[in-house]
C-alpha cells in the first residue's frame, strides 16, 4: 500500500479535523456556548472513532463517521447562518448557550485587534461574527474531502475486514485433544 493512499489521506484529514475541533471546543468553552460544546464533543468522539476505523479497516466505523459528517456539515451551516443572521436567525439569541448562561462568543471581547471598548467589536480587525463563520468554513473545508475519502475507503473495504479483533485472532479448538498440542 502506498504512502499516499486514500486510507492514509483519510487518516490525515481525521487528524486535522481533530485538531480543529479541539481548538474550536476550547473557544466555545471560554464563551459558555453549551450547544456548541456538546456538538463539538460529539465531533471529537466520532472523528476518533472514524480515525480508528480508518487505521483498523473497520467499515462500520467509517460509515458512522460518514453519517456524522452530514450532521456536522448541517450544524456548521446553521451556525454560519446564525452569526450572519440569515433567514430570521439572530446572533443574539440564546440558541448556542441553551438559555443557561449569557451567550457571548469569546471572540466578541477578545478578537484580534480588539481594545475592549463599548461596544467591544469596534476597533477589531475582524468582527466576531466573521471569526465564528471562518471557524465553520474551516470545519466544512475539512469535512468535504473527509467525506469523499471516507466514501471511497468504505466502498473499497470488504466486510471480512470488519471483524472486531482487538488483540488478534483467537481460535477455539474444535477437539479437546487440541487444547494441549
Amino acid at each position: 500500500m502506498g504512502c499516499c493512499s486514500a486510507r492514509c489521506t483519510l487518516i490525515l484529514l481525521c487528524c486535522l479535523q481533530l485538531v480543529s475541533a479541539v481548538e474550536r471546543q476550547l473557544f466555545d468553552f471560554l464563551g459558555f456556548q453549551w450547544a456548541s460544546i456538546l456538538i463539538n464533543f460529539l465531533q471529537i468522539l466520532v472523528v476518533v472513532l472514524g480515525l480508528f476505523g480508518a487505521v483498523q479497516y473497520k467499515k462500520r466505523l467509517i460509515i458512522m463517521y460518514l453519517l456524522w459528517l452530514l450532521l456536522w456539515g448541517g450544524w456548521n451551516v446553521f451556525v454560519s447562518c446564525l452569526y450572519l443572521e440569515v433567514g430570521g436567525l439572530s446572533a443574539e439569541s440564546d440558541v448556542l448557550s441553551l438559555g443557561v448562561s449569557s451567550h457571548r462568543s469569546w471572540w466578541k471581547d477578545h478578537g484580534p485587534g480588539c481594545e475592549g471598548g463599548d461596544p467591544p467589536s469596534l476597533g477589531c480587525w475582524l468582527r466576531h461574527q466573521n471569526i465564528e463563520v471562518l471557524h465553520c468554513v474551516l470545519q466544512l473545508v475539512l469535512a468535504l474531502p473527509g467525506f469523499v475519502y471516507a466514501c471511497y475507503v468504505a466502498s473499497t473495504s470488504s466486510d471480512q475486514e470488519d471483524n472486531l479483533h482487538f488483540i488478534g485472532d483467537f481460535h477455539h479448538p474444535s477437539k479437546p485433544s487440541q487444547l494441549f498440542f
Side-chain angles (χ1 to χ4, degrees), residues 28 31-36 79 82-83 90-106 108 128 132:
D28 286 343
F32 301 107
Q33 297 180 13
W34 299 111
S36 292
V79 171
L82 184 74
Y83 278 107
S90 172
E92 299 303 320
S93 69
D94 289 337
V95 173
L96 295 179
S97 68
L98 298 176
V100 175
S101 62
S102 62
H103 159 66
R104 276 186 90 101
S105 169
W106 183 83
K108 191 168 188 171
H128 74 281
E132 294 288 355

Side-chain angles (χ1 to χ4, degrees), residues 40-109:
N40 290 337
F41 174 75
L42 291 174
Q43 167 70 358
I44 292 167
L45 179 70
V46 172
V47 168
V48 167
L49 290 173
L51 186 60
F52 178 75
V55 169
Q56 296 291 323
Y57 298 99
K58 306 294 183 199
K59 187 174 182 177
R60 290 180 190 148
L61 291 178
I62 295 171
I63 291 172
M64 180 191 63
Y65 168 75
L66 278 169
L67 294 174
W68 171 255
L69 283 181
L70 294 174
L71 294 172
W72 180 244
W75 170 257
N76 282 290
V77 169
F78 168 74
V79 171
S80 295
C81 291
L82 184 74
Y83 278 107
L84 294 174
E85 298 185 349
V86 174
L89 295 171
S90 172
E92 299 303 320
S93 69
D94 289 337
V95 173
L96 295 179
S97 68
L98 298 176
V100 175
S101 62
S102 62
H103 159 66
R104 276 186 90 101
S105 169
W106 183 83
W107 295 105
K108 191 168 188 171
D109 295 327

